[in-house]
Each structure stands twice: as C-alpha cells, then as structure tokens.
Amino acid sequence: MSRYWSELVRQLEPYVPGEQPKIDGLIKLNTNESPYPPSPKVHDVLSGDAIDRLRLYPDPNSSRLKQTIADYYRLKPENTFVGNGSDEVLAFAFMAFFKQNKPLLFPDITYSFYPVYCQLFGIEAQRLPLTDDLRIELDQYSTENGGIIFPNPNAPTGRALPLEDIEALLKRNTDSVVLVDEAYVDFGAESAAQLVDRYPNLLVTQTLSKSRSLAGLRLGFALGAPELIDALDRVKNSFNSYPVDRLAEAAAVVALEDDAYFQQCRDKIIATREWTNEQLTALGFRVLPSAANFLFARPPEGVDAAELAQQLREARILVRYFNKPRIEGFLRITIGNDEEMNRLIETLGALIK
Ligand SMILES: *Cc1c(COP(=O)(O)O)cnc(C)c1O
C-alpha cells in the first residue's frame, strides 16, 4: 500500500493464478495446461521470416486468424474477435456489455476471475448457488440482470450443461448478453458457437490455452453477432490496437488448421481422464463427472483435502486446492499424461493407507 495508490487500486483483490514453480521434475497438475506440446506445425511458422518481420507492427485486425476461426466454426470473420488470451477477451466483454446498472449473474462456484473483473469495472455481481451436487441450474437465471456469464463446462467442477438448457436461457433472456465461457468445451461439451447466428445476445469465448496446448502463447477469441463484435472492437481500440502479436497470430492459425493433431491430443486426454476417474473412485474418492481436462474430486472420509494437497506437493505433485466455502473438501486435478497420472494414483494410494 502506498499513498500514491488510487482508491480503486486500494480496493482491488486481484486474481491469484495457480503456481508456476521453477522446480525440476515436478508433476504439474494445478493449472489445466496440456501435457502435450502444441502442433508441430507451430515450429515451422515461428522461425526465420517470422522473426525478421517482427520489426513491423502486426495486423491490427488479425484478419488471417479471424478467417481461420470463422472457417472452423462455419461463421464469418465479422462474427469473430481475438485477444491476448480469453482472460483479456472476457475483460473487454465485461466493459462492453456488463457495465450496466443491473447486476451480472453468475454461479457462486465458478471461474474466480469474474468477481475480480466486476470489482475492477464497478459491476454489481449477483451469485446464484449451484445445486447440492454442484450443478448450474439455469432456471434460476431469470431475475432482472445486466448480463449472465458462466463457463461450460463449469470450472472448477468440470460439469457440462446440455446445449438445450443454454438455448432455453437465450430464448427467455433477450435483454442482456449471455456469455458462455467455453475454455474447456473441447473436452466433452457441446459448443454454443452454432447458436451465434440465431441469438443476437449470445457471446461465446474460447481459448487456445487448454485444448490446443498454447497457454504460453496467450490467444483467446470470441464468437458472436457482428454488433457484439463491433462493441468488443470499440473497447479493444480504446485500449490497445495490437493485443495479438505477429508470432501469436501465425502460431494460432496453424494450430487451428491442424485438426488431426488437436483431435489426437484431445482423445488421449479424455481417455486418461476416464482412467484416472476410475482409479480415484477405487481409492474412495468422490469424483464429479467431468467434461473438461481436469477432475474435481473429494478425498475419502477422514482425509483432509488441504492436507492431502500439501502431502502431494511434498511428493512433487502439484494439484489445485481452493480454500472456499462449499468446495474446501475437494481437489482439482489437471489431466496429465499417462505416466504422470500413474504416479499420482500410486502416490495417493500410499498416502491414503
Ligand atoms: C483458463 C480459463 C480461461 C482463460 O484462458 P486464457 O485464454 O489462458 O486467458 C478463461 N475461462 C476459464 C473458465 C478458464 O478456466
């Protein structure tokens, strides 16, 4: 704290990302990164010419990348927006759509960046409780609001909503923007991207951080009606004309084009997730059904989740523990490769006995 700080900065409670420790030989299952490298095509576009061209500013509209995303989802470039990670795209959306004099609705247990953005931008937050089995109940989202946001699948529970529920919400809630944060959609949920043409208040965000193994690149995007995309552009062009650098655009284009590689990695992660789920269940964990690249699991009776996370850390395995009401009994475990998950299960088996 310093006397030079603004009142706003004094009040902020910033988001705390999962640890990125610099310890060798660590099994890192705490921030939902992919255990597999990005598409090999990324190597080819990040050398030689690409480096020489770094003296030039990038395309402020990222036209090639927008066209690639539009082709992928059978939409138009006017339906797409790209930014420096989906966290940035979300920030722009909060400014563009949710800064209203009505509250923003979101689940009580969800991605913890949402309340942080509400504080930063002066948006009233109204949290709606998940059911006892930690599901989002969209029927509850029927009060007056200045917007609605939720991840599908939700984080950190991993539970997915069926597309019919989201469409029913869009039919009821036509006076404000509904933002579906699809950071994990590729691992088992149905994307709302196909609804963009029919619902002018639907905004879908996605990221290359998880299912495309490019968390370090910082590339996220949004899909929506052209009027919504225009609003995001107005915010972006009032903030930073070049949020996507040349290397990020080039790598993102080839990563999205390499669909075969993407599917192969995704399928492996899903298979490993199902195996891990069975193993954890056999050890007495209660595991929520997951459509994401992580599992949300409650250790067996008599085992404290926080302590178990600490013991795993001592065994050089990092998982995520949230010291928050309702979920303080759970661990969130990112799906690594088979060898890493084997080590996790062996270590847990030894710790629990
Ligand atoms: C990881 C994550 C993001 C942010 O992804 P980036 O593109 O890396 O900024 C957004 N929403 C949810 C729910 C996430 O888990």
Side-chain angles (χ1 to χ4, degrees):
M1 189 92 78
S2 145
R3 67 192 175 98
Y4 301 114
W5 287 16
S6 70
E7 191 51 35
L8 173 69
V9 168
R10 283 166 199 271
Q11 301 293 331
L12 292 179
E13 289 169 54
Y15 176 77
V16 185
E19 237 186 306
Q20 296 291 352
K22 288 156 195 72
I23 307 170
D24 286 340
L26 203 69
I27 298 187
K28 199 170 169 305
L29 310 174
N30 69 329
T31 49
N32 297 342
E33 290 141 331
S34 174
Y36 303 110
S39 161
K41 304 219 159 81
V42 170
H43 284 263
D44 309 336
V45 293
L46 290 189
S47 51
D49 281 358
I51 293 168
D52 292 346
R53 279 195 301 270
L54 282 177
R55 66 192 178 79
L56 301 171
Y57 280 106
D59 170 8
N61 291 314
S62 308
S63 312
R64 274 192 65 221
L65 178 54
K66 285 184 166 199
Q67 187 65 58
T68 306
I69 294 168
D71 291 346
Y72 194 88
Y73 287 99
R74 297 200 179 82
L75 294 165
K76 300 197 178 69
E78 301 81 62
N79 294 116
T80 67
F81 178 84
V82 294
N84 184 255
S86 63
D87 284 338
E88 185 187 75
V89 177
L90 290 170
F92 291 166
F94 272 61
M95 284 189 258
F97 309 117
F98 299 153
K99 181 117 183 70
Q100 310 280 357
N101 38 34
K102 289 178 193 166
L104 174 66
L105 311 185
F106 54 84
D108 63 340
I109 293 161
T110 193
Y111 188 39
S112 35
F113 232 125
Y114 305 157
V116 174
Y117 284 145
C118 284
Q119 210 185 27
L120 179 61
F121 301 128
I123 297 164
E124 188 194 337
Q126 190 177 329
R127 293 170 175 82
L128 302 180
L130 299 186
T131 61
D132 288 343
D133 55 352
L134 303 181
R135 277 181 301 103
I136 295 176
E137 189 73 88
L138 282 186
D139 288 347
Q140 294 182 334
Y141 291 68
S142 51
T143 54
E144 269 228 67
N145 65 76
I148 295 174
I149 184 169
F150 55 88
N152 191 40
N154 194 15
T157 65
R159 281 189 185 277
L161 285 166
L163 205 52
E164 304 91 76
D165 290 16
I166 294 172
E167 189 162 14
L169 173 71
L170 287 162
K171 286 198 166 119
R172 279 198 305 279
N173 188 92
T174 52
D175 291 336
S176 66
V177 167
V178 174
L179 200 166
V180 186
D181 176 350
E182 295 189 339
Y184 302 104
V185 75
D186 292 323
F187 300 104
E190 225 181 326
S191 176
Q194 54 189 291
L195 302 179
V196 154
D197 276 336
R198 277 183 285 142
Y199 296 94
N201 62 329
L202 168 63
L203 194 74
V204 174
T205 58
Q206 289 198 10
T207 174
L208 271 61
S209 294
K210 279 102 187 201
S211 61
R212 256 90 182 179
S213 310
L214 286 167
L217 192 74
R218 310 307 303 131
L219 204 295
F221 59 92
L223 306 168
E227 290 74 16
L228 298 189
I229 302 301
D230 279 350
L232 292 174
D233 275 325
R234 288 170 71 94
V235 175
K236 175 215 141 203
N237 291 324
S238 305
F239 180 80
N240 177 3
S241 312
Y242 308 106
V244 177
D245 67 73
R246 281 179 171 272
L247 301 182
E249 185 181 15
V253 166
V254 292
L256 283 163
E257 283 172 350
D258 196 351
D259 207 42
Y261 180 81
F262 154 72
Q263 287 188 31
Q264 192 190 319
C265 293
R266 189 220 13 219
D267 293 351
K268 278 198 283 191
I269 289 167
I270 292 173
T272 308
R273 178 186 74 205
E274 295 315 302
W275 178 86
T276 308
N277 189 332
E278 284 164 29
Q279 299 296 315
L280 288 172
T281 305
L283 286 173
F285 281 73
R286 180 192 159 214
V287 188
L288 296 194
S290 171
N293 66 338
F294 57 84
L295 291 169
F296 203 50
R298 183 195 276 281
E301 207 64 47
V303 180
D304 183 80
E307 251 170 62
L308 190 56
Q310 185 51 38
Q311 290 170 325
L312 283 172
R313 193 171 203 292
E314 282 153 21
R316 297 182 156 245
I317 301 176
L318 279 194
V319 300
R320 192 86 190 259
Y321 171 73
F322 298 93
N323 190 8
K324 281 192 192 167
R326 295 188 78 188
I327 55 169
E328 74 277 331
F330 285 81
L331 297 179
R332 193 195 66 190
I333 303 167
T334 303
I335 303 304
N337 62 29
D338 289 341
E339 197 188 317
E340 292 171 322
M341 300 323 270
N342 252 314
R343 275 271 305 278
L344 169 79
I345 296 297
E346 274 172 25
T347 309
L348 282 174
L351 286 172
I352 281 168
K353 273 189 189 101

